Amino acid sequence: MPHQLPTGTTRAQAYEASQDAGINPSANAQFDHIVVHRYGRRSVLQGLLAGSALAATGGLFAPAEAQAQSQAKAATPARHSFAFAEVSHGVDRTHHVAAGYNVDVLIRWGDPVTADAPAFDPLRQSAQAQQKQFGYNNDYVAYMPLPLGSTNPARGLLVVNHEYTNEELMFPGLGRQEAKSVNFAGMTAELVAIEMAAHGMSVVEIQKTPEGKWSVLSGSRYNRRIDALDSRCILTGPAAGHARLKTRADTAGRNAIGTINNCAGGVTPWGTVLSGEENFHGYFWGKLDDTSSEARNHKRYGVPDNWYAWGKFHERFDIAKEPNEANRYGWIVEVDPYDPTSVPKKRTALGRFKHEGATPVVNQDGRVAVYSGDDERFEYVYKFVTRDRFDPKNRAANMDLLDHGTLYVARYNADGSGIWLPLVQGQGPLTPANGFNSQADVLIEARRAADLLGATKMDRPEEIEVNPVSGKVYAMLTNNSRRKADQLDAANSRAANEWGQIVEMVPENGDHAALRFTWNLLIQAGDPLNPAVAGKYGPETSSNGWFACPDNAAFDSQGRFWVGTDQGEAWKKASGTADGIWAVETEGPQRGRSKMFYRNPVGAEICGPCFTPDDKGLFVSVQHPAADGAEAFTRNGKVSTFEDPATRWPDFKDGMPPRPSVIVITKQDGGVLGS
């Protein structure tokens, strides 16, 4: 019988437990050790806001040249990029935003996407209806201006990921106990089908009225759903058609069914959207067969982990019946939102791992680099560089650009340098002797390949963003509570790290295809006044300006940095406050200064912050309201359920469950956000 989630286990707790399932077995250097070697343990443990002299000179983790510039300007009043009054720390059943701003709910789980979608009825859900309605647990958001090629800030397509589902909050009469009992007894074939239909992606057309309010055009020809139930995806690139991607249903190994656990993503310069398949391991059912040819591969990714009952009704998610099916997930999926008839493509050249997202940038020579983090404790930071150049005058010539190029993994050195190591079959240890008989093998087992190359083990690399003004690269490292005192390095510097950090990387000579880079820490998250936490920020960061667990982030067109958090079940320990969005300075004497701009309702994380081209609108995904660590807000003091949720955000109507939603934040005077 498959191993089941313990009775009373929440989805977030299941994820926490699963972090051990595919644990990195390599002896590679760990980022915390490197940080300590670089900065010294005493410096790492000294909080800037607790009296460090460097707080007035650009921050402990500022580059040397930036510190010198800051010292030279010490007598000059600092220029602040963000003019709003901060939101205060706290937690309650609703959202909060800085004074002078509005928050409007744009689209909610169950709202119509296609013209023939029925109205949402939480008591009469069906898979057929859900395939036409907005999916669950919205994550990454991309705004794609209309028409194609324009920078229209008032009409466009919103492309949204739907990462996973919370059955206990979705379905009436299920309850936590029954849902997680032996063999998932409470989950029927129809409930599973609804879950599968609620995964994937949504594309909707939106427009801004002359009064400044945004709305969804439910009858638009662009609107569509991509789900995990029966949406076709094409496998492309070096691994497509390989024997390890073939199944009984797809003997060619080129046509996958659906996409799952779509987390963050990115927008290509040719107008497509990239979506990262993250925790695919949790969807597979059964017990790992140690004699299987895929046993080593599956173990490295934590497959199977039995989060869902999908394998009970769909054999492709039963690892014993379809051992290759798991190899068809964990890829970057490319979608063309401007063509509603297009088929999503899984780009295998970018490697298979638990992709948080994929952020493209056009390099100096016209090639495109794509940065991606593998979101698990002790995993790696990657980039992919295309073989061919982007052609801004020929969109069609770019549509398969991501099928050819080189995948790299990062190694961080204690002297502040770094190197990108190529994952190329036949080079170094990536040989048949180690089980890599082709480039397809390298990409399918990208984690093991990176292990052998000696990549640096990180504290959960999540979203990676590129500053459009400076070209610097910023990696969100969310946390790593499992890091021990003897596992520290220069970039992962705290044991039992509940709070995370933000790493800044500077490509050599501004070249994103270069093999070398330098790195610094921009922020070491957590409470700066608690010596045991040793949070580090820039000068003038207030008591509301510190945060824990950076996850998703976005730059506006001016190169200003906005960071969203995801503390999960540990928010009470990590910060004691709800997740939110903080505006962070990245340059000058205010470098590292952080201000709280928005706060989520209880139990929800921040996902997918995305600006309109004029910086006058900010779209944000509010994911799983009422879910994470929200017991104190239920009537019974227990885990939230459909009947007894911690909050009924955003509708606040009796009988209506909490609904993950995309919100839009605007300034009441119609101006640029943050100014």
Side-chain angles (χ1 to χ4, degrees), residues 104-332:
D104 294 305
V105 176
L106 181 61
I107 189 167
R108 305 160 295 182
W109 163 50
D111 281 348
V113 170
T114 62
D116 59 343
F120 179 61
D121 185 342
L123 299 177
R124 295 177 177 83
Q125 298 180 54
S126 71
Q128 184 179 20
Q130 181 62 79
Q131 287 183 301
K132 302 174 181 179
Q133 297 166 332
F134 194 64
Y136 202 80
N137 273 345
N138 33 262
D139 200 300
Y140 176 74
V141 178
Y143 175 81
M144 311 295 287
L146 283 171
L148 171 63
S150 74
T151 57
N152 189 347
R155 178 172 170 254
L157 302 176
L158 210 66
V159 185
V160 183
N161 284 348
H162 301 290
E163 187 180 10
Y164 66 95
T165 49
N166 296 83
E167 306 101 316
E168 74 284 357
L169 292 170
M170 287 181 69
F171 303 127
L174 193 59
R176 173 60 63 187
Q177 301 297 318
E178 187 179 0
K180 301 305 169 203
S181 61
V182 173
N183 209 31
F184 290 96
M187 294 302 295
T188 65
E190 177 63 11
L191 292 183
V192 166
I194 295 169
E195 278 193 311
M196 296 174 75
H199 278 68
M201 303 173 72
S202 292
V203 181
V204 293
E205 183 177 350
I206 60 173
Q207 67 177 4
K208 186 178 180 181
T209 68
E211 295 74 32
K213 295 295 183 181
W214 286 89
S215 62
V216 173
L217 301 179
S218 59
S220 170
R221 70 180 183 89
Y222 295 105
N223 291 8
R224 64 164 163 162
R225 283 295 322 285
I226 299 165
D227 59 51
L229 190 58
D230 57 19
S231 295
R232 175 173 169 252
C233 295
I234 300 173
L235 291 154
T236 73
H242 191 273
R244 298 176 72 180
L245 296 187
K246 295 179 180 179
T247 64
R248 287 178 295 171
D250 176 26
T251 56
R254 294 181 180 275
N255 292 283
I257 302 174
T259 179
I260 55 177
N261 213 257
N262 301 80
C263 196
V267 174
T268 68
W270 51 93
T272 61
V273 174
L274 305 181
S275 176
E277 294 184 312
E278 193 187 41
N279 294 301
F280 61 89
H281 65 296
Y283 294 81
F284 290 91
W285 172 281
K287 184 178 180 180
L288 183 64
D289 180 0
D290 290 336
T291 66
S292 166
S293 61
E294 293 294 334
R296 178 173 60 181
N297 171 33
H298 288 338
K299 185 175 181 180
R300 186 64 182 85
Y301 289 102
V303 175
D305 209 23
N306 300 287
W307 287 2
Y308 292 97
W310 295 12
K312 184 177 179 181
F313 304 103
H314 298 267
E315 288 189 351
R316 64 190 175 101
F317 289 102
D318 187 329
I319 205 72
K321 296 177 180 178
E322 280 292 1
N324 284 353
E325 185 70 18
N327 291 341
R328 294 147 66 86
Y329 299 94
W331 304 103
I332 293 296

Side-chain angles (χ1 to χ4, degrees), residues 481-563:
S481 59
R482 287 177 173 78
R483 191 176 286 279
K484 299 177 181 178
D486 62 352
Q487 297 176 317
L488 306 183
D489 57 43
N492 299 273
S493 56
R494 290 177 292 181
N497 180 6
E498 298 276 0
W499 315 278
Q501 58 260 28
I502 299 175
V503 179
E504 177 187 79
M505 297 180 286
V506 182
E508 186 176 54
N509 299 318
D511 181 3
H512 290 280
L515 296 182
R516 299 188 180 278
F517 62 93
T518 57
W519 67 270
N520 292 277
L521 290 185
L522 174 66
I523 279 178
Q524 185 164 282
D527 186 350
L529 298 181
N530 183 339
V533 175
K536 293 180 173 61
Y537 303 83
E540 301 181 42
T541 298
S542 78
S543 59
N544 293 309
W546 68 270
F547 55 82
C549 306
D551 183 343
N552 294 139
F555 282 95
D556 59 27
S557 65
Q558 304 170 65
R560 299 181 305 169
F561 200 29
W562 304 73
V563 175

Side-chain angles (χ1 to χ4, degrees), residues 55-72:
T57 60
L60 175 63
F61 300 138
E65 63 272 18
Q67 290 189 28
Q69 292 170 3
S70 297
Q71 290 167 350

